[in-house]
Amino acid sequence: MRRDAATPPPDATPARAAPPGPDAPPGPAAAPAERAVPPGRPATPARAAPPGRDAPAQRGDGATARRGAASRDAARPEPAAAPTTRAERAAPDAHSATPGRAAPRPHVVAVAVTDSAPTFELAVPCEVFGLDRADIVDPWYELRLCAGEPGPLRTAAGLGVPTPYGLDDLVEADTVIVAACARPAQLAPPPGLLAAVRKAHESGRRIVSICSGVYILAAAGLLSGRRATTHWMSAADFAHRFPDVDLDPTALYVEDGSIVTSAGTGSAIDLCLHLVRRDHGAAVANEVARRMVVPPHREGGQTQYARLPARPRAGGDGGLAPVLQWARERLHEPLTVAGLAAAAHMSERTFARRFRDELGTTPLQWVLQERVRLAQELLETTDDPVESVARRTGFGTAPNLRHHFRRLTSVSPQTYRQVFRSRAVPRSVPPGALPTAPWD
């Protein structure tokens, strides 16, 4: 029987593939062809390769295994690449996210802006909540400036304030901040803003006021029977206009349920850091304070910065001016109601009644305030130790001075001196005299 020239005899070694030439078909060299098996003849088993030679590849060996493995690999989904950027890490993962749970959304802080608002009090929430601090907490807050009244709005310094959001957006925010407002807005708050603040409060939103923004909250009826605070310069006016509010004029900020109010200017920083501390913890608030280069928490209240009640002017106190001046010159001595009444040529009962009617306080309370005022002056302008200040102000001992000073100013004498002392003046300068300027 004639064999095909291309088919090797059964016991022959397969011929090597010829090098590619011009007549060679394209593609890789074909594997040696298998002999056709005539009908009825059993197939000849493959001959084992002699030692040192590689056996030709057979169907059903590694090729089939590799093909099966490739099929299984094709059916198996490839693992997702590890996220490399912060945005990719923050994005929800289809494989790891809990079914039915949405990705966390930022806490929305809406600031109500009125015309001629004080610049600093408006800028503080923009600094704390408006800057992207996702490297600390992701997601960070989302700030929205909402127009509290129609028309173009400007700050008290004349800076234009873009307000792309309105009162509807204010109501939907998680935290609503009413920034400080000018006197016209205090006396006649925009009706739309009052309605929006009420609706936000009824919806369970957190309501916050900075400085004189408390007037808006009180006019909206949110502070009746609640504790609140405001700038110490506005305390008397606010208490007169809203007697149903439990005003604390000494605090930097007051939190009563879901309503938080703050004192003026710098206390806006204390308030905003307090909100961050409540939402994300002390470590986050401390980091924000560190970046703002401010203390994360200030000791004491605003009374350490406030002036004590103004001294009545001569002629405007119903005849008490002479005895008050007499008492100020003797603060280092023991002062009693009987001694003051005798100096005023009145009975003790009449003197106490006149004193309260005209000054709004008791004689002994007034003496205490005057002594603390003198102590403040001495701490600011002299190097006198606390023991000497205590003697010169009539408190007698340093512990007695510390007790009453802290009670009225919320800080210790030493802390007060560190905060307000700019430079010492000669001890010969009498109390009340102004220190000499450095360039004089």
Side-chain angles (χ1 to χ4, degrees):
M1 183 173 87
R2 183 180 177 183
R3 299 181 181 271
D4 191 349
T7 303
D11 55 351
T13 302
R16 295 184 181 180
D23 298 330
E34 296 185 13
R35 289 183 297 171
V37 179
R41 183 175 178 178
T44 304
R47 185 185 299 269
R53 294 189 180 182
D54 295 333
Q58 302 289 328
R59 293 184 183 270
D61 275 349
T64 304
R66 286 193 298 272
R67 191 167 57 250
S71 301
R72 290 193 298 272
D73 291 342
R76 182 186 300 120
E78 295 188 5
T84 57
T85 65
R86 187 179 68 212
E88 291 175 348
R89 290 193 298 269
D93 186 1
H95 298 286
S96 60
T98 304
R101 178 176 297 179
R105 67 174 183 84
H107 182 108
V108 177
V109 176
V111 180
V113 183
T114 55
D115 195 36
S116 299
T119 306
F120 185 87
E121 288 86 334
L122 181 60
V124 170
C126 295
E127 168 71 21
V128 175
F129 305 111
L131 294 184
D132 182 14
R133 304 184 191 274
D135 59 316
I136 306 176
V137 173
D138 195 1
W140 190 245
Y141 297 89
E142 177 184 333
L143 180 70
R144 298 178 180 177
L145 295 179
C146 303
E149 56 183 321
L153 304 177
R154 295 183 176 275
T155 67
L159 302 176
V161 183
T163 50
Y165 298 95
L167 293 177
D168 291 339
D169 303 292
L170 188 80
V171 174
E172 296 300 324
D174 300 297
T175 295
V176 174
I177 298 180
V178 180
C181 53
R183 190 61 175 170
Q186 298 174 25
L187 300 178
L193 178 57
L194 294 179
V197 170
R198 288 194 202 99
K199 187 174 181 181
H201 177 61
E202 293 169 357
S203 301
R205 313 301 184 188
R206 181 168 61 187
I207 311 297
V208 178
S209 69
I210 297 176
C211 191
S212 54
V214 71
Y215 282 80
I216 306 296
L217 271 57
L222 273 57
L223 298 180
S224 181
R226 291 179 178 268
R227 290 182 64 242
T229 191
T230 188
H231 196 294
W232 61 269
M233 294 181 66
S234 302
D237 174 71
F238 182 87
H240 174 73
R241 291 175 57 82
F242 303 101
D244 57 335
V245 179
D246 182 11
L247 182 68
D248 182 358
T250 68
L252 291 174
Y253 54 85
V254 170
E255 183 171 12
D256 189 331
S258 61
I259 298 180
V260 191
T261 56
S262 83
T265 315
S267 60
I269 300 177
D270 300 283
L271 169 67
C272 291
L273 290 177
H274 170 71
L275 298 179
V276 175
R277 191 178 301 111
R278 288 294 305 268
D279 295 340
H280 300 292
V284 173
N286 292 348
E287 178 61 23
V288 175
R290 201 173 291 116
R291 298 184 182 190
M292 294 176 63
V293 199
V294 297
H297 179 74
R298 285 193 293 170
E299 180 186 359
Q302 62 173 321
T303 48
Q304 60 183 305
Y305 309 99
R307 290 193 303 268
L308 294 175
R311 300 173 178 176
R313 291 173 292 181
D317 49 20
L320 292 179
V323 69
L324 297 181
Q325 184 60 35
W326 178 86
R328 290 191 190 101
E329 295 172 355
R330 294 166 175 80
L331 290 175
H332 59 285
E333 302 176 1
L335 294 175
T336 63
V337 177
L340 293 171
H345 305 289
M346 300 180 189
S347 68
E348 290 185 35
R349 184 173 181 179
T350 301
F351 178 77
R353 184 180 67 251
R354 288 276 301 276
F355 204 99
R356 178 176 287 278
D357 290 344
E358 296 177 15
L359 296 180
T361 186
T362 66
L364 293 182
Q365 184 64 28
W366 178 85
V367 170
L368 179 63
Q369 292 176 351
E370 289 297 312
R371 283 174 168 163
V372 170
R373 190 199 306 274
L374 177 58
Q376 290 176 313
E377 189 173 332
L378 294 175
L379 291 169
E380 292 177 27
T381 59
T382 74
D383 281 328
D384 290 358
V386 174
E387 291 77 8
S388 176
V389 173
R391 289 192 299 269
R392 294 180 62 179
T393 55
F395 286 110
T397 64
N400 199 28
L401 168 62
R402 293 188 184 97
H403 170 75
H404 291 290
F405 195 94
R406 181 180 287 276
R407 190 165 64 87
L408 265 66
T409 68
S410 75
V411 295
S412 68
Q414 187 64 30
T415 299
Y416 184 89
R417 170 171 272 170
Q418 291 174 352
V419 171
F420 290 96
R421 173 81 182 281
S422 57
R423 71 184 186 93
V425 297
R427 297 187 185 185
S428 59
V429 176
L434 294 177
T436 306
W439 51 84
D440 288 348

